[in-house]
Amino acid sequence: MTPPLSRRGALIAGAAALAGGLAPAAGAQAALRPPESTRPRLSALSPLQRAGQRVIHSYPGLTPPASLMTAIEQGHTAGVIFFGENVQSLAQIEGVIRSMNAARAASPVQAPLLLMTDQEGGMVRRLPGEPVKSAKDVGASADPHYWADFTGSGAGLNLAGVGMNVNLAPVLDVYRKDGDFTDQYERSYSKSAAAVASCGADFITAQQREGVAATAKHFPGLGPASASQNTDLRSVTITTSAATLRSVDEVPYRDAIAAGVKLVMLSWAVYTGLDSARPAGLSPTVVGELRNRLGFKGVTVTDALEAGALSSYGSTSQRAVKAAAAGMDLLLCSARSVSQGDEAVAALADALGGSLDPTAFDAAAARVNALRAGL
């Protein structure tokens, strides 16, 4: 076992090797961290700026389009999600993030951008380097506590090193059968709820110790989903009872919340035991399960707004408004299209004072901005 005192050296060496030697320069984390600023006064913002505080944009290729940089400068976005197609090397994406932070410095909204990716570990990584072990590797190891801490630290150091401040991880799904939806990519720690809870809390604590916010997903759990039940591609209905969801699938979220997890992502599956009419991320009932039953006070975030599971829920505009109305604080527009994010922002701005209650709307934006101000 690697001695704990050599952890940082091992993480940096592993990232450098997997990135072809392109490790972030010393001091990059501190240099790229936006200056501390006060939270924006929502009453002083335009409708588009108020709406922008609840939307995450994405873009295609290696170079952010001018339209995205303009949205950042105008305060019309809360941040950006990065994918593999956006990353050529650690040095390249570090430069992109530096330019985004410069654009944000000119914005009327001075809170730091939320700059995020999916760096779960194993097969699901957007950056080269840590965490190399998958969640399944961690859960099956001789010392899951050590390796959950190690991979959480690795994820935090890796992302912070290029200027990112949110990781859409860890996955807290409790898988049921070998090869099912969560297990086929080794994204689940275990079939045991207690093991998932323990590993997830260790990962969250270690990662957030490095200044990178963690996201527990996919509430209330995709563990029961079969191999073909992929919400990215089609609608998914999970018939697990409310009793089982609460005694198995929601258990890791109690530990994650106790560990101070900053964000929770809701699933796009329909859970008949909780709300048979709507996907979890469009359901006030399921959001209420997280808020009221489990006591989560942080930021709720959708899964991809373009997911196939939402094919019967209209356009981006319609989906955005439905998600916001259900209690989702942050909307993930991850189709690698700046116009998708712009459409969501415009729809939310139009719905302000109409179908969306302004007080609830600004309370959600305030939760997002509290997160941003703390990074």
Side-chain angles (χ1 to χ4, degrees):
M1 182 185 294
T2 307
L5 287 177
S6 68
R7 171 174 289 138
R8 287 177 181 267
L11 293 170
I12 293 169
L18 283 162
L22 290 169
Q29 178 180 348
L32 290 174
R33 182 174 293 153
E36 291 186 10
S37 55
T38 58
R39 301 173 197 173
R41 289 190 305 111
L42 295 170
S43 61
L45 301 180
S46 71
L48 286 173
Q49 288 166 343
R50 286 170 70 191
Q53 305 318 296
R54 298 185 60 181
V55 174
I56 297 295
H57 278 68
S58 61
Y59 65 97
L62 297 176
T63 304
S67 57
L68 177 56
M69 304 307 285
T70 298
I72 293 171
E73 290 173 356
Q74 293 178 343
H76 292 174
T77 186
V80 179
I81 180 172
F82 300 95
F83 290 91
E85 71 176 85
N86 306 129
V87 181
Q88 185 177 58
S89 67
L90 296 179
Q92 171 265 335
I93 196 64
E94 182 179 347
V96 167
I97 289 171
R98 189 180 296 112
S99 68
M100 288 180 175
N101 283 332
R104 194 273 314 161
S107 168
V109 180
Q110 284 297 293
L113 292 169
L114 297 174
L115 301 168
M116 62 185 64
T117 196
D118 294 275
Q119 194 76 0
E120 298 175 11
M123 289 181 269
V124 184
R125 290 180 293 161
R126 312 307 187 197
L127 298 180
E130 292 292 332
V132 175
K133 280 185 178 289
S134 69
K136 188 172 186 177
D137 290 336
V138 170
S141 70
D143 191 345
H145 170 78
Y146 172 84
W147 285 109
D149 184 273
F150 185 97
T151 52
S153 293
L157 287 167
N158 198 358
L159 268 62
V162 297
M164 294 186 195
N165 54 19
V166 178
N167 191 7
L168 298 175
V171 170
L172 297 186
D173 298 336
V174 182
Y175 81 99
R176 302 302 205 268
K177 298 178 181 179
D178 293 347
D180 65 15
F181 173 73
T182 306
D183 180 58
Q184 63 185 323
Y185 298 109
E186 301 187 357
R187 301 173 74 194
S188 174
Y189 289 109
S190 179
K191 294 177 183 177
S192 159
V196 173
S198 176
C199 289
D202 288 341
F203 184 102
I204 288 163
T205 300
Q207 179 180 274
Q208 293 190 162
R209 190 169 60 225
E210 305 300 340
V212 175
T215 308
K217 63 185 184 185
H218 310 81
F219 187 83
L222 285 173
S226 68
S228 63
Q229 287 186 301
N230 185 346
T231 58
D232 286 346
L233 304 178
R234 63 182 181 88
S235 60
V236 171
T237 297
I238 291 177
T239 58
T240 304
S241 69
T244 299
L245 288 171
R246 289 168 176 164
S247 64
V248 176
D249 299 280
E250 294 182 13
V251 167
Y253 289 90
R254 290 194 178 279
D255 287 50
I257 292 166
V261 71
K262 302 293 186 184
L263 304 96
V264 172
M265 177 183 287
L266 276 78
S267 162
W268 283 140
V270 173
Y271 296 82
T272 58
L274 299 176
D275 183 346
S276 61
R278 290 162 292 197
L282 300 182
S283 168
T285 301
V286 180
V287 176
E289 182 88 356
L290 176 64
R291 293 285 192 205
N292 303 324
R293 185 170 180 275
L294 298 185
F296 180 60
K297 305 299 183 186
V299 171
T300 52
V301 58
T302 70
D303 205 339
L305 208 61
E306 69 278 4
L310 301 187
S311 59
S312 63
Y313 288 90
S315 64
T316 292
S317 295
Q318 292 167 314
R319 297 175 189 188
V321 173
K322 289 178 186 294
M328 301 306 300
D329 296 332
L330 202 55
L331 311 182
L332 200 58
C333 295
S334 52
R336 284 77 142 181
S337 167
V338 177
S339 63
Q340 181 200 25
D342 291 346
E343 185 179 338
V345 171
L348 294 183
D350 287 345
L352 264 170
S355 60
L356 293 177
D357 174 65
T359 301
F361 189 99
D362 286 346
R367 284 188 291 272
V368 173
N369 279 299
L371 169 66
R372 294 170 68 180
L375 295 173

mmCIF file of all heavy atoms in Angstrom, residues 36-64:
data_model
loop_
_atom_site.group_PDB
_atom_site.id
_atom_site.type_symbol
_atom_site.label_atom_id
_atom_site.label_comp_id
_atom_site.label_asym_id
_atom_site.label_seq_id
_atom_site.Cartn_x
_atom_site.Cartn_y
_atom_site.Cartn_z
ATOM 1 N N GLU A 36 -11.892 36.345 -4.341
ATOM 2 C CA GLU A 36 -13.108 36.283 -3.541
ATOM 3 C C GLU A 36 -13.990 37.492 -3.857
ATOM 4 O O GLU A 36 -13.528 38.593 -4.078
ATOM 5 C CB GLU A 36 -12.759 36.260 -2.054
ATOM 6 C CG GLU A 36 -12.087 34.972 -1.622
ATOM 7 C CD GLU A 36 -11.883 34.916 -0.125
ATOM 8 O OE1 GLU A 36 -12.439 35.789 0.572
ATOM 9 O OE2 GLU A 36 -11.176 34.008 0.330
ATOM 10 N N SER A 37 -15.283 37.250 -3.912
ATOM 11 C CA SER A 37 -16.204 38.337 -4.230
ATOM 12 C C SER A 37 -17.515 38.119 -3.503
ATOM 13 O O SER A 37 -17.816 37.015 -3.065
ATOM 14 C CB SER A 37 -16.443 38.402 -5.736
ATOM 15 O OG SER A 37 -16.894 37.154 -6.214
ATOM 16 N N THR A 38 -18.279 39.148 -3.393
ATOM 17 C CA THR A 38 -19.566 39.026 -2.740
ATOM 18 C C THR A 38 -20.569 38.422 -3.705
ATOM 19 O O THR A 38 -20.407 38.485 -4.914
ATOM 20 C CB THR A 38 -20.080 40.414 -2.299
ATOM 21 O OG1 THR A 38 -20.158 41.255 -3.448
ATOM 22 C CG2 THR A 38 -19.136 41.034 -1.287
ATOM 23 N N ARG A 39 -21.597 37.841 -3.144
ATOM 24 C CA ARG A 39 -22.650 37.279 -3.974
ATOM 25 C C ARG A 39 -23.412 38.413 -4.666
ATOM 26 O O ARG A 39 -23.641 39.465 -4.082
ATOM 27 C CB ARG A 39 -23.603 36.457 -3.115
ATOM 28 C CG ARG A 39 -22.919 35.318 -2.379
ATOM 29 C CD ARG A 39 -23.859 34.647 -1.404
ATOM 30 N NE ARG A 39 -23.099 33.863 -0.447
ATOM 31 C CZ ARG A 39 -23.629 33.277 0.611
ATOM 32 N NH1 ARG A 39 -24.918 33.393 0.856
ATOM 33 N NH2 ARG A 39 -22.873 32.582 1.441
ATOM 34 N N PRO A 40 -23.844 38.179 -5.911
ATOM 35 C CA PRO A 40 -24.559 39.241 -6.616
ATOM 36 C C PRO A 40 -25.901 39.531 -5.956
ATOM 37 O O PRO A 40 -26.553 38.627 -5.444
ATOM 38 C CB PRO A 40 -24.751 38.663 -8.028
ATOM 39 C CG PRO A 40 -24.664 37.188 -7.843
ATOM 40 C CD PRO A 40 -23.704 36.969 -6.724
ATOM 41 N N ARG A 41 -26.293 40.777 -5.945
ATOM 42 C CA ARG A 41 -27.632 41.142 -5.471
ATOM 43 C C ARG A 41 -28.592 40.847 -6.603
ATOM 44 O O ARG A 41 -28.594 41.505 -7.632
ATOM 45 C CB ARG A 41 -27.689 42.621 -5.088
ATOM 46 C CG ARG A 41 -26.925 42.933 -3.811
ATOM 47 C CD ARG A 41 -27.202 44.352 -3.330
ATOM 48 N NE ARG A 41 -26.934 45.353 -4.342
ATOM 49 C CZ ARG A 41 -27.872 46.073 -4.948
ATOM 50 N NH1 ARG A 41 -29.145 45.898 -4.645
ATOM 51 N NH2 ARG A 41 -27.545 46.978 -5.853
ATOM 52 N N LEU A 42 -29.419 39.798 -6.422
ATOM 53 C CA LEU A 42 -30.271 39.334 -7.512
ATOM 54 C C LEU A 42 -31.232 40.418 -7.966
ATOM 55 O O LEU A 42 -31.568 40.492 -9.151
ATOM 56 C CB LEU A 42 -31.023 38.075 -7.069
ATOM 57 C CG LEU A 42 -30.117 36.864 -6.785
ATOM 58 C CD1 LEU A 42 -30.912 35.760 -6.129
ATOM 59 C CD2 LEU A 42 -29.467 36.369 -8.067
ATOM 60 N N SER A 43 -31.644 41.272 -7.037
ATOM 61 C CA SER A 43 -32.593 42.334 -7.412
ATOM 62 C C SER A 43 -31.985 43.342 -8.374
ATOM 63 O O SER A 43 -32.708 44.054 -9.076
ATOM 64 C CB SER A 43 -33.091 43.049 -6.153
ATOM 65 O OG SER A 43 -31.997 43.649 -5.464
ATOM 66 N N ALA A 44 -30.658 43.397 -8.416
ATOM 67 C CA ALA A 44 -29.982 44.357 -9.283
ATOM 68 C C ALA A 44 -29.691 43.791 -10.670
ATOM 69 O O ALA A 44 -29.210 44.508 -11.542
ATOM 70 C CB ALA A 44 -28.674 44.809 -8.635
ATOM 71 N N LEU A 45 -29.996 42.514 -10.880
ATOM 72 C CA LEU A 45 -29.691 41.874 -12.152
ATOM 73 C C LEU A 45 -30.865 41.944 -13.115
ATOM 74 O O LEU A 45 -32.025 42.022 -12.704
ATOM 75 C CB LEU A 45 -29.324 40.403 -11.918
ATOM 76 C CG LEU A 45 -28.126 40.123 -10.997
ATOM 77 C CD1 LEU A 45 -27.915 38.620 -10.873
ATOM 78 C CD2 LEU A 45 -26.867 40.808 -11.501
ATOM 79 N N SER A 46 -30.565 41.876 -14.395
ATOM 80 C CA SER A 46 -31.604 41.800 -15.422
ATOM 81 C C SER A 46 -32.231 40.412 -15.392
ATOM 82 O O SER A 46 -31.660 39.474 -14.823
ATOM 83 C CB SER A 46 -31.000 42.045 -16.803
ATOM 84 O OG SER A 46 -30.197 40.930 -17.193
ATOM 85 N N PRO A 47 -33.420 40.234 -16.016
ATOM 86 C CA PRO A 47 -34.017 38.893 -16.047
ATOM 87 C C PRO A 47 -33.084 37.837 -16.639
ATOM 88 O O PRO A 47 -33.011 36.716 -16.126
ATOM 89 C CB PRO A 47 -35.265 39.100 -16.907
ATOM 90 C CG PRO A 47 -35.653 40.513 -16.655
ATOM 91 C CD PRO A 47 -34.345 41.255 -16.548
ATOM 92 N N LEU A 48 -32.359 38.178 -17.706
ATOM 93 C CA LEU A 48 -31.442 37.212 -18.304
ATOM 94 C C LEU A 48 -30.286 36.890 -17.362
ATOM 95 O O LEU A 48 -29.823 35.746 -17.301
ATOM 96 C CB LEU A 48 -30.903 37.725 -19.637
ATOM 97 C CG LEU A 48 -31.878 37.693 -20.820
ATOM 98 C CD1 LEU A 48 -31.264 38.396 -22.026
ATOM 99 C CD2 LEU A 48 -32.246 36.248 -21.181
ATOM 100 N N GLN A 49 -29.827 37.863 -16.609
ATOM 101 C CA GLN A 49 -28.759 37.612 -15.640
ATOM 102 C C GLN A 49 -29.266 36.782 -14.468
ATOM 103 O O GLN A 49 -28.568 35.879 -13.986
ATOM 104 C CB GLN A 49 -28.157 38.930 -15.159
ATOM 105 C CG GLN A 49 -27.316 39.622 -16.221
ATOM 106 C CD GLN A 49 -27.002 41.063 -15.881
ATOM 107 O OE1 GLN A 49 -27.655 41.670 -15.012
ATOM 108 N NE2 GLN A 49 -26.040 41.647 -16.568
ATOM 109 N N ARG A 50 -30.477 37.071 -14.005
ATOM 110 C CA ARG A 50 -31.060 36.256 -12.933
ATOM 111 C C ARG A 50 -31.217 34.813 -13.399
ATOM 112 O O ARG A 50 -30.887 33.876 -12.669
ATOM 113 C CB ARG A 50 -32.424 36.813 -12.516
ATOM 114 C CG ARG A 50 -32.346 38.089 -11.710
ATOM 115 C CD ARG A 50 -33.721 38.712 -11.536
ATOM 116 N NE ARG A 50 -34.601 37.948 -10.654
ATOM 117 C CZ ARG A 50 -35.910 38.184 -10.515
ATOM 118 N NH1 ARG A 50 -36.475 39.161 -11.210
ATOM 119 N NH2 ARG A 50 -36.627 37.454 -9.684
ATOM 120 N N ALA A 51 -31.702 34.638 -14.624
ATOM 121 C CA ALA A 51 -31.887 33.293 -15.175
ATOM 122 C C ALA A 51 -30.549 32.594 -15.378
ATOM 123 O O ALA A 51 -30.415 31.390 -15.136
ATOM 124 C CB ALA A 51 -32.652 33.364 -16.488
ATOM 125 N N GLY A 52 -29.554 33.341 -15.815
ATOM 126 C CA GLY A 52 -28.246 32.765 -16.075
ATOM 127 C C GLY A 52 -27.592 32.154 -14.862
ATOM 128 O O GLY A 52 -26.741 31.259 -14.985
ATOM 129 N N GLN A 53 -27.984 32.595 -13.671
ATOM 130 C CA GLN A 53 -27.401 32.050 -12.449
ATOM 131 C C GLN A 53 -27.803 30.604 -12.205
ATOM 132 O O GLN A 53 -27.291 29.956 -11.290
ATOM 133 C CB GLN A 53 -27.810 32.905 -11.238
ATOM 134 C CG GLN A 53 -27.491 34.381 -11.363
ATOM 135 C CD GLN A 53 -26.118 34.632 -11.956
ATOM 136 O OE1 GLN A 53 -25.111 34.277 -11.357
ATOM 137 N NE2 GLN A 53 -26.074 35.216 -13.145
ATOM 138 N N ARG A 54 -28.699 30.087 -13.047
ATOM 139 C CA ARG A 54 -29.209 28.731 -12.835
ATOM 140 C C ARG A 54 -28.917 27.790 -14.005
ATOM 141 O O ARG A 54 -29.479 26.691 -14.069
ATOM 142 C CB ARG A 54 -30.710 28.794 -12.553
ATOM 143 C CG ARG A 54 -31.024 29.584 -11.291
ATOM 144 C CD ARG A 54 -32.477 29.553 -10.940
ATOM 145 N NE ARG A 54 -32.956 28.200 -10.706
ATOM 146 C CZ ARG A 54 -34.214 27.907 -10.399
ATOM 147 N NH1 ARG A 54 -35.105 28.886 -10.272
ATOM 148 N NH2 ARG A 54 -34.582 26.662 -10.217
ATOM 149 N N VAL A 55 -28.047 28.216 -14.923
ATOM 150 C CA VAL A 55 -27.795 27.414 -16.131
ATOM 151 C C VAL A 55 -26.298 27.171 -16.311
ATOM 152 O O VAL A 55 -25.490 28.090 -16.159
ATOM 153 C CB VAL A 55 -28.372 28.105 -17.380
ATOM 154 C CG1 VAL A 55 -27.994 27.343 -18.654
ATOM 155 C CG2 VAL A 55 -29.893 28.224 -17.270
ATOM 156 N N ILE A 56 -25.952 25.931 -16.651
ATOM 157 C CA ILE A 56 -24.587 25.549 -17.012
ATOM 158 C C ILE A 56 -24.539 25.328 -18.516
ATOM 159 O O ILE A 56 -25.347 24.575 -19.067
ATOM 160 C CB ILE A 56 -24.149 24.271 -16.273
ATOM 161 C CG1 ILE A 56 -24.115 24.508 -14.764
ATOM 162 C CG2 ILE A 56 -22.784 23.790 -16.777
ATOM 163 C CD1 ILE A 56 -23.088 25.511 -14.295
ATOM 164 N N HIS A 57 -23.597 25.988 -19.181
ATOM 165 C CA HIS A 57 -23.427 25.868 -20.632
ATOM 166 C C HIS A 57 -22.404 24.782 -20.982
ATOM 167 O O HIS A 57 -21.616 24.351 -20.147
ATOM 168 C CB HIS A 57 -22.941 27.197 -21.219
ATOM 169 C CG HIS A 57 -24.015 28.209 -21.468
ATOM 170 N ND1 HIS A 57 -24.720 28.821 -20.454
ATOM 171 C CD2 HIS A 57 -24.494 28.727 -22.638
ATOM 172 C CE1 HIS A 57 -25.589 29.688 -20.984
ATOM 173 N NE2 HIS A 57 -25.465 29.636 -22.305
ATOM 174 N N SER A 58 -22.400 24.404 -22.259
ATOM 175 C CA SER A 58 -21.361 23.534 -22.815
ATOM 176 C C SER A 58 -21.038 24.023 -24.219
ATOM 177 O O SER A 58 -21.737 24.880 -24.766
ATOM 178 C CB SER A 58 -21.837 22.076 -22.854
ATOM 179 O OG SER A 58 -22.983 21.940 -23.683
ATOM 180 N N TYR A 59 -19.971 23.463 -24.799
ATOM 181 C CA TYR A 59 -19.561 23.924 -26.131
ATOM 182 C C TYR A 59 -18.839 22.793 -26.864
ATOM 183 O O TYR A 59 -18.334 21.855 -26.231
ATOM 184 C CB TYR A 59 -18.661 25.159 -26.024
ATOM 185 C CG TYR A 59 -17.323 24.925 -25.352
ATOM 186 C CD1 TYR A 59 -16.166 24.691 -26.098
ATOM 187 C CD2 TYR A 59 -17.203 24.936 -23.954
ATOM 188 C CE1 TYR A 59 -14.940 24.479 -25.474
ATOM 189 C CE2 TYR A 59 -15.978 24.724 -23.334
ATOM 190 C CZ TYR A 59 -14.855 24.496 -24.087
ATOM 191 O OH TYR A 59 -13.636 24.279 -23.479
ATOM 192 N N PRO A 60 -18.747 22.865 -28.188
ATOM 193 C CA PRO A 60 -18.062 21.819 -28.951
ATOM 194 C C PRO A 60 -16.585 22.128 -29.137
ATOM 195 O O PRO A 60 -16.170 23.292 -29.159
ATOM 196 C CB PRO A 60 -18.789 21.870 -30.298
ATOM 197 C CG PRO A 60 -19.128 23.323 -30.463
ATOM 198 C CD PRO A 60 -19.441 23.836 -29.064
ATOM 199 N N GLY A 61 -15.775 21.086 -29.269
ATOM 200 C CA GLY A 61 -14.388 21.265 -29.676
ATOM 201 C C GLY A 61 -13.479 21.846 -28.617
ATOM 202 O O GLY A 61 -13.808 21.908 -27.429
ATOM 203 N N LEU A 62 -12.311 22.288 -29.065
ATOM 204 C CA LEU A 62 -11.261 22.725 -28.155
ATOM 205 C C LEU A 62 -11.310 24.206 -27.805
ATOM 206 O O LEU A 62 -10.760 24.613 -26.786
ATOM 207 C CB LEU A 62 -9.885 22.400 -28.755
ATOM 208 C CG LEU A 62 -9.587 20.916 -28.977
ATOM 209 C CD1 LEU A 62 -8.233 20.745 -29.661
ATOM 210 C CD2 LEU A 62 -9.615 20.146 -27.654
ATOM 211 N N THR A 63 -11.966 25.006 -28.648
ATOM 212 C CA THR A 63 -11.964 26.458 -28.443
ATOM 213 C C THR A 63 -13.361 26.952 -28.132
ATOM 214 O O THR A 63 -14.282 26.752 -28.935
ATOM 215 C CB THR A 63 -11.433 27.184 -29.694
ATOM 216 O OG1 THR A 63 -10.131 26.680 -30.004
ATOM 217 C CG2 THR A 63 -11.370 28.685 -29.463
ATOM 218 N N PRO A 64 -13.580 27.586 -26.984
ATOM 219 C CA PRO A 64 -14.918 28.098 -26.663
ATOM 220 C C PRO A 64 -15.361 29.126 -27.703
ATOM 221 O O PRO A 64 -14.606 30.049 -28.023
ATOM 222 C CB PRO A 64 -14.728 28.762 -25.294
ATOM 223 C CG PRO A 64 -13.487 28.171 -24.738
ATOM 224 C CD PRO A 64 -12.604 27.862 -25.911
#
